[in-house]
Each structure stands twice: as C-alpha cells, then as structure tokens.
Amino acid sequence: MAGIYIHVPFCHSKCAYCDFYSRVGAAVAADSYISALALEFNNRIYELDAHHVSTIYIGGGTPSILSAEQFLRLIAVFKDFSPEEFTIEVNPEDIESKRLETWLKSGVNRVSMGVQSLVDSELKAVGRRHSAQQAINSLKRIREAGFNNISCDLIYGLPGQTMESWQYSVDTLIALKPEHLSAYSLTIEPHTALGVKMQRGDFSETDDDTIASFYDYLCKAASRAGYEHYEISNFALPGLYSRHNSAYWNSTPYLGLGPGAHSLGADGIRRYVEPDIRRYISNPALCLKTDHETETEKINDIIFTALRTAKGLDLSLIPPEFLNEFNKNATQFEDNGIICRNGMRIYIPEERWLTSDAIIRDLLID
C-alpha cells in the first residue's frame, strides 16, 4: 500500500498565516508546472517499488484554483491508478458547477475544504477571500454535487477570536455534518504577514489557557456529535478517517510530487523537492534532494508521528537496540499517568494531546 501527494503551489492570494510554499496566480505557470510534474512522476515512480497506490491527495497551495481543463491534464498523469481514496483540497470561493462535475467524474471521492472560521471578521483578519456564508453555501453545493466524504478545516487562536465566536464556528460547522473535521491552533511563522505584525507589536498570540479552552470545547462538541478523535487535530465520523493522512502517521510509503513536497520511499529514505517553482519547471530533477537521516532519526520519526494518534505507538516497530532506551524514557511518564501502555502499544491520553509535543520530545531516542 502506498500514497501519492501532489503539491499545487498556486493561490489566488497569500493568507496571513500561511507558511506553505505557494505563488500567487496560476493561469500561465500551471500548464508548465503540470508538464514538469509529469516528468518528475515518471522519473520517481520507482520509489514506491510497485506498491499498490491506495490514496492520492492533491494539496497545496490551492488545487481548486486550477481550471477544469488544467485539472484534467494533471490527473491524466495518474490515469493508471484507481485509488480507494482520492482527495482534493479546495477553497470556498472556487466551488462552481463545472469544477465539481469534473472532479466527481474524474474519480475524486473526497473533498477537503479550508473553512478556517465562520466569522467574517476573523476571516478578514487573516486574509481569507471567502465569507462565512460562502463557506456554508459551498459545503452544501459540494454535497449536492454528489460527494459524500467532505472534510473541513478550522483554526483556533485567530486574531479577535473569542470563546463565543469559536463555539459559533464549531457548532455551525458540526451542524452541517461534514464527515471529517481538522482543527489547528494558529502558528505564527516569522516571515508570514501575521509574523511581521507580531514583530511590530500589532498582534499578539492567544494565551495558552484560552487555546486549551478552545481545544477542550472542540473535543467535547465533536464527541457529542459522534465524531471520533483519532489524531490530535483530526476528527471523523466512524469509518471515515483520512486514509491518506493516516498513512503518514504509520510510515506507509508515499511519493510527494511538486516543489515543497516530501516523500517516504519504499526503501525507507525520505526525500523532498526544493520549493523553487522556476527551477522545478526548468528541470524537476534539479530540485530533488535526499534527507540523510540516521537510524536514530528514523526511529524518532516513527515515535513522533505515532504518538499523535489515538492508536499510539506499536512498540514492535522499535528495533531491540532502541527499545530499552525508549522504555527507560517512558517509565517516568507511565508512573505519573501521563502516558498509558496497552500490551505492545504506548499512547498519550486525549486529555493530554494539546501538550503532547513536549511529552514526545522527552520520549525520543538520543
């Protein structure tokens, strides 16, 4: 089993918090990009070593910025695959009949929409182009077009966000019953527009206690509505976990294509594509780099990703020469009830997930 991730590095505009690699506009560069991506794919498919491709995920950037014609050119590159889960990331302002029809007929069976908030002032504060009502209408249109697996993203800690406004966004979205929810705490990177504002003193991050309250409300509201909390930031109705993202967390091989994409080959080697669209279009091979990990770093990758999930870490994945050290690190947390053990699995209880990064750091192998 393997996955393919396709990065579409184009956006209508740059959101104030965004740290992903993208460039504004797509009309001219997208056609050249798709040609380069086809070349990269043909040169790198060997990395999956004939594994069955079970998921394809088109992310970005903003994949829905592509016209129906450009999208058809893009997926023609992958015409030999019939993935069980085929996801496209979209923004509400791009939802219109021709695109929806094209995606559905092309085999896309999962749509992930960036909602972020259902309060207009919060959307405006971070440079989102859509309104709250437009997001609601777009979700309904996606459903009416025939998609029965829809994921929506929210962000907490936005400028001006209050507990009341957060509860409104969560409750309103849950009432629309998307099959999947992802929610992320706002992270401020120095070179983003929000990062610059914070450096000038025009904006300050939401305090930890408020963030914890936002997260607690989300978890309880999602649980009441029947969602399963299967990863720190992800909730799904039963049986509708993101199969593609879950593969990242259990070390399934995946091929990442396009500038800014990362991969894990069937050979266990991590690779990445330098985020340089001009160089990539000229020759994608020039942008491909290898992440030279030590064996310790590879094990720590497994530990870090697995402990972010409800299933936790399968200790059989830790080689014997590392297991003793891991168990030694884990003992103090077990004794204090901070982590739990169930047979050959170690997991962090849901009530401690918001601070799990700090816990995991102390469990990593030196």
mmCIF file of all heavy atoms in Angstrom, residues 68-91:
data_model
loop_
_atom_site.group_PDB
_atom_site.id
_atom_site.type_symbol
_atom_site.label_atom_id
_atom_site.label_comp_id
_atom_site.label_asym_id
_atom_site.label_seq_id
_atom_site.Cartn_x
_atom_site.Cartn_y
_atom_site.Cartn_z
ATOM 1 N N ALA A 68 -10.988 23.499 -14.885
ATOM 2 C CA ALA A 68 -11.369 22.113 -15.138
ATOM 3 C C ALA A 68 -10.428 21.471 -16.153
ATOM 4 O O ALA A 68 -10.026 20.309 -16.000
ATOM 5 C CB ALA A 68 -12.814 22.051 -15.637
ATOM 6 N N GLU A 69 -10.027 22.235 -17.152
ATOM 7 C CA GLU A 69 -9.128 21.707 -18.187
ATOM 8 C C GLU A 69 -7.745 21.408 -17.621
ATOM 9 O O GLU A 69 -7.144 20.371 -17.929
ATOM 10 C CB GLU A 69 -9.030 22.702 -19.357
ATOM 11 C CG GLU A 69 -10.305 22.888 -20.154
ATOM 12 C CD GLU A 69 -11.369 23.707 -19.434
ATOM 13 O OE1 GLU A 69 -11.018 24.452 -18.479
ATOM 14 O OE2 GLU A 69 -12.560 23.599 -19.813
ATOM 15 N N GLN A 70 -7.238 22.303 -16.793
ATOM 16 C CA GLN A 70 -5.937 22.076 -16.178
ATOM 17 C C GLN A 70 -5.977 20.885 -15.224
ATOM 18 O O GLN A 70 -5.042 20.084 -15.180
ATOM 19 C CB GLN A 70 -5.487 23.332 -15.429
ATOM 20 C CG GLN A 70 -5.093 24.475 -16.346
ATOM 21 C CD GLN A 70 -4.907 25.787 -15.599
ATOM 22 O OE1 GLN A 70 -5.523 26.021 -14.554
ATOM 23 N NE2 GLN A 70 -4.055 26.658 -16.131
ATOM 24 N N PHE A 71 -7.066 20.748 -14.487
ATOM 25 C CA PHE A 71 -7.199 19.609 -13.580
ATOM 26 C C PHE A 71 -7.183 18.292 -14.356
ATOM 27 O O PHE A 71 -6.537 17.326 -13.940
ATOM 28 C CB PHE A 71 -8.489 19.731 -12.770
ATOM 29 C CG PHE A 71 -8.723 18.568 -11.855
ATOM 30 C CD1 PHE A 71 -8.073 18.495 -10.636
ATOM 31 C CD2 PHE A 71 -9.572 17.534 -12.223
ATOM 32 C CE1 PHE A 71 -8.265 17.407 -9.792
ATOM 33 C CE2 PHE A 71 -9.777 16.445 -11.393
ATOM 34 C CZ PHE A 71 -9.130 16.387 -10.177
ATOM 35 N N LEU A 72 -7.866 18.251 -15.491
ATOM 36 C CA LEU A 72 -7.893 17.022 -16.289
ATOM 37 C C LEU A 72 -6.497 16.677 -16.802
ATOM 38 O O LEU A 72 -6.114 15.505 -16.854
ATOM 39 C CB LEU A 72 -8.870 17.177 -17.455
ATOM 40 C CG LEU A 72 -10.352 17.198 -17.066
ATOM 41 C CD1 LEU A 72 -11.217 17.532 -18.276
ATOM 42 C CD2 LEU A 72 -10.762 15.862 -16.462
ATOM 43 N N ARG A 73 -5.726 17.703 -17.190
ATOM 44 C CA ARG A 73 -4.343 17.462 -17.601
ATOM 45 C C ARG A 73 -3.526 16.899 -16.456
ATOM 46 O O ARG A 73 -2.703 15.997 -16.635
ATOM 47 C CB ARG A 73 -3.691 18.761 -18.083
ATOM 48 C CG ARG A 73 -3.984 19.144 -19.526
ATOM 49 C CD ARG A 73 -2.974 20.178 -19.998
ATOM 50 N NE ARG A 73 -1.626 19.640 -19.992
ATOM 51 C CZ ARG A 73 -0.533 20.354 -19.728
ATOM 52 N NH1 ARG A 73 -0.623 21.633 -19.413
ATOM 53 N NH2 ARG A 73 0.662 19.794 -19.767
ATOM 54 N N LEU A 74 -3.753 17.438 -15.263
ATOM 55 C CA LEU A 74 -2.997 17.000 -14.093
ATOM 56 C C LEU A 74 -3.270 15.534 -13.781
ATOM 57 O O LEU A 74 -2.347 14.728 -13.630
ATOM 58 C CB LEU A 74 -3.351 17.870 -12.886
ATOM 59 C CG LEU A 74 -2.739 17.467 -11.550
ATOM 60 C CD1 LEU A 74 -1.225 17.641 -11.573
ATOM 61 C CD2 LEU A 74 -3.344 18.281 -10.417
ATOM 62 N N ILE A 75 -4.523 15.160 -13.677
ATOM 63 C CA ILE A 75 -4.815 13.786 -13.257
ATOM 64 C C ILE A 75 -4.577 12.773 -14.363
ATOM 65 O O ILE A 75 -4.481 11.575 -14.092
ATOM 66 C CB ILE A 75 -6.238 13.653 -12.699
ATOM 67 C CG1 ILE A 75 -7.280 13.901 -13.793
ATOM 68 C CG2 ILE A 75 -6.444 14.546 -11.499
ATOM 69 C CD1 ILE A 75 -8.636 13.371 -13.391
ATOM 70 N N ALA A 76 -4.440 13.245 -15.596
ATOM 71 C CA ALA A 76 -4.099 12.316 -16.683
ATOM 72 C C ALA A 76 -2.749 11.663 -16.424
ATOM 73 O O ALA A 76 -2.480 10.549 -16.891
ATOM 74 C CB ALA A 76 -4.096 13.047 -18.018
ATOM 75 N N VAL A 77 -1.900 12.347 -15.675
ATOM 76 C CA VAL A 77 -0.588 11.802 -15.312
ATOM 77 C C VAL A 77 -0.754 10.514 -14.510
ATOM 78 O O VAL A 77 0.090 9.612 -14.575
ATOM 79 C CB VAL A 77 0.213 12.845 -14.504
ATOM 80 C CG1 VAL A 77 1.546 12.280 -14.046
ATOM 81 C CG2 VAL A 77 0.406 14.128 -15.317
ATOM 82 N N PHE A 78 -1.864 10.399 -13.780
ATOM 83 C CA PHE A 78 -2.074 9.274 -12.861
ATOM 84 C C PHE A 78 -3.210 8.360 -13.325
ATOM 85 O O PHE A 78 -3.849 7.688 -12.524
ATOM 86 C CB PHE A 78 -2.361 9.823 -11.459
ATOM 87 C CG PHE A 78 -1.359 10.841 -11.015
ATOM 88 C CD1 PHE A 78 -1.610 12.207 -11.155
ATOM 89 C CD2 PHE A 78 -0.125 10.445 -10.509
ATOM 90 C CE1 PHE A 78 -0.668 13.149 -10.777
ATOM 91 C CE2 PHE A 78 0.820 11.379 -10.131
ATOM 92 C CZ PHE A 78 0.553 12.736 -10.270
ATOM 93 N N LYS A 79 -3.432 8.325 -14.636
ATOM 94 C CA LYS A 79 -4.564 7.589 -15.199
ATOM 95 C C LYS A 79 -4.502 6.092 -14.949
ATOM 96 O O LYS A 79 -5.536 5.399 -15.014
ATOM 97 C CB LYS A 79 -4.654 7.849 -16.703
ATOM 98 C CG LYS A 79 -3.463 7.347 -17.512
ATOM 99 C CD LYS A 79 -3.599 7.706 -18.975
ATOM 100 C CE LYS A 79 -2.470 7.130 -19.821
ATOM 101 N NZ LYS A 79 -1.143 7.614 -19.413
ATOM 102 N N ASP A 80 -3.327 5.555 -14.657
ATOM 103 C CA ASP A 80 -3.192 4.108 -14.452
ATOM 104 C C ASP A 80 -3.576 3.668 -13.042
ATOM 105 O O ASP A 80 -3.542 2.476 -12.743
ATOM 106 C CB ASP A 80 -1.757 3.662 -14.751
ATOM 107 C CG ASP A 80 -1.403 3.825 -16.226
ATOM 108 O OD1 ASP A 80 -2.327 3.777 -17.061
ATOM 109 O OD2 ASP A 80 -0.214 4.017 -16.528
ATOM 110 N N PHE A 81 -3.925 4.634 -12.169
ATOM 111 C CA PHE A 81 -4.247 4.295 -10.785
ATOM 112 C C PHE A 81 -5.736 4.459 -10.512
ATOM 113 O O PHE A 81 -6.387 5.339 -11.087
ATOM 114 C CB PHE A 81 -3.454 5.172 -9.808
ATOM 115 C CG PHE A 81 -1.967 5.048 -9.957
ATOM 116 C CD1 PHE A 81 -1.226 6.066 -10.533
ATOM 117 C CD2 PHE A 81 -1.306 3.908 -9.533
ATOM 118 C CE1 PHE A 81 0.149 5.956 -10.676
ATOM 119 C CE2 PHE A 81 0.071 3.786 -9.669
ATOM 120 C CZ PHE A 81 0.794 4.805 -10.249
ATOM 121 N N SER A 82 -6.247 3.626 -9.638
ATOM 122 C CA SER A 82 -7.635 3.720 -9.183
ATOM 123 C C SER A 82 -7.639 3.692 -7.658
ATOM 124 O O SER A 82 -7.963 2.667 -7.037
ATOM 125 C CB SER A 82 -8.468 2.560 -9.742
ATOM 126 O OG SER A 82 -8.491 2.599 -11.151
ATOM 127 N N PRO A 83 -7.273 4.810 -7.040
ATOM 128 C CA PRO A 83 -7.139 4.826 -5.577
ATOM 129 C C PRO A 83 -8.484 4.672 -4.877
ATOM 130 O O PRO A 83 -9.518 5.124 -5.380
ATOM 131 C CB PRO A 83 -6.531 6.202 -5.306
ATOM 132 C CG PRO A 83 -6.994 7.048 -6.450
ATOM 133 C CD PRO A 83 -6.999 6.127 -7.639
ATOM 134 N N GLU A 84 -8.446 4.036 -3.709
ATOM 135 C CA GLU A 84 -9.668 3.917 -2.914
ATOM 136 C C GLU A 84 -10.086 5.272 -2.340
ATOM 137 O O GLU A 84 -11.274 5.532 -2.156
ATOM 138 C CB GLU A 84 -9.464 2.920 -1.767
ATOM 139 C CG GLU A 84 -9.363 1.462 -2.212
ATOM 140 C CD GLU A 84 -7.947 1.062 -2.600
ATOM 141 O OE1 GLU A 84 -7.034 1.919 -2.492
ATOM 142 O OE2 GLU A 84 -7.744 -0.090 -3.012
ATOM 143 N N GLU A 85 -9.106 6.126 -2.053
ATOM 144 C CA GLU A 85 -9.394 7.472 -1.547
ATOM 145 C C GLU A 85 -8.651 8.476 -2.411
ATOM 146 O O GLU A 85 -7.432 8.404 -2.560
ATOM 147 C CB GLU A 85 -8.956 7.599 -0.087
ATOM 148 C CG GLU A 85 -9.257 8.971 0.517
ATOM 149 C CD GLU A 85 -8.697 9.092 1.928
ATOM 150 O OE1 GLU A 85 -9.399 8.695 2.877
ATOM 151 O OE2 GLU A 85 -7.555 9.596 2.073
ATOM 152 N N PHE A 86 -9.389 9.431 -2.986
ATOM 153 C CA PHE A 86 -8.813 10.421 -3.885
ATOM 154 C C PHE A 86 -9.318 11.787 -3.425
ATOM 155 O O PHE A 86 -10.483 12.138 -3.611
ATOM 156 C CB PHE A 86 -9.256 10.126 -5.318
ATOM 157 C CG PHE A 86 -8.561 10.945 -6.387
ATOM 158 C CD1 PHE A 86 -8.701 10.599 -7.722
ATOM 159 C CD2 PHE A 86 -7.768 12.037 -6.080
ATOM 160 C CE1 PHE A 86 -8.076 11.324 -8.720
ATOM 161 C CE2 PHE A 86 -7.128 12.778 -7.063
ATOM 162 C CZ PHE A 86 -7.291 12.415 -8.391
ATOM 163 N N THR A 87 -8.417 12.563 -2.793
ATOM 164 C CA THR A 87 -8.778 13.822 -2.145
ATOM 165 C C THR A 87 -8.267 15.020 -2.927
ATOM 166 O O THR A 87 -7.153 15.002 -3.451
ATOM 167 C CB THR A 87 -8.181 13.875 -0.720
ATOM 168 O OG1 THR A 87 -8.641 12.760 0.032
ATOM 169 C CG2 THR A 87 -8.580 15.164 -0.009
ATOM 170 N N ILE A 88 -9.072 16.078 -2.965
ATOM 171 C CA ILE A 88 -8.599 17.372 -3.458
ATOM 172 C C ILE A 88 -8.899 18.430 -2.403
ATOM 173 O O ILE A 88 -9.980 18.441 -1.813
ATOM 174 C CB ILE A 88 -9.243 17.768 -4.811
ATOM 175 C CG1 ILE A 88 -8.651 19.105 -5.306
ATOM 176 C CG2 ILE A 88 -10.763 17.833 -4.721
ATOM 177 C CD1 ILE A 88 -9.056 19.470 -6.720
ATOM 178 N N GLU A 89 -7.918 19.291 -2.129
ATOM 179 C CA GLU A 89 -8.131 20.437 -1.247
ATOM 180 C C GLU A 89 -8.741 21.577 -2.053
ATOM 181 O O GLU A 89 -8.319 21.846 -3.187
ATOM 182 C CB GLU A 89 -6.816 20.900 -0.633
ATOM 183 C CG GLU A 89 -6.252 19.962 0.423
ATOM 184 C CD GLU A 89 -4.991 20.511 1.069
ATOM 185 O OE1 GLU A 89 -4.474 21.556 0.604
ATOM 186 O OE2 GLU A 89 -4.516 19.902 2.033
ATOM 187 N N VAL A 90 -9.722 22.259 -1.451
ATOM 188 C CA VAL A 90 -10.413 23.341 -2.156
ATOM 189 C C VAL A 90 -10.638 24.517 -1.223
ATOM 190 O O VAL A 90 -10.628 24.371 0.003
ATOM 191 C CB VAL A 90 -11.771 22.869 -2.722
ATOM 192 C CG1 VAL A 90 -11.600 21.632 -3.589
ATOM 193 C CG2 VAL A 90 -12.786 22.602 -1.613
ATOM 194 N N ASN A 91 -10.870 25.680 -1.827
ATOM 195 C CA ASN A 91 -11.303 26.852 -1.089
ATOM 196 C C ASN A 91 -12.735 27.190 -1.489
ATOM 197 O O ASN A 91 -13.138 26.953 -2.636
ATOM 198 C CB ASN A 91 -10.389 28.047 -1.376
ATOM 199 C CG ASN A 91 -9.149 28.049 -0.493
ATOM 200 O OD1 ASN A 91 -9.030 27.244 0.431
ATOM 201 N ND2 ASN A 91 -8.229 28.954 -0.773
#
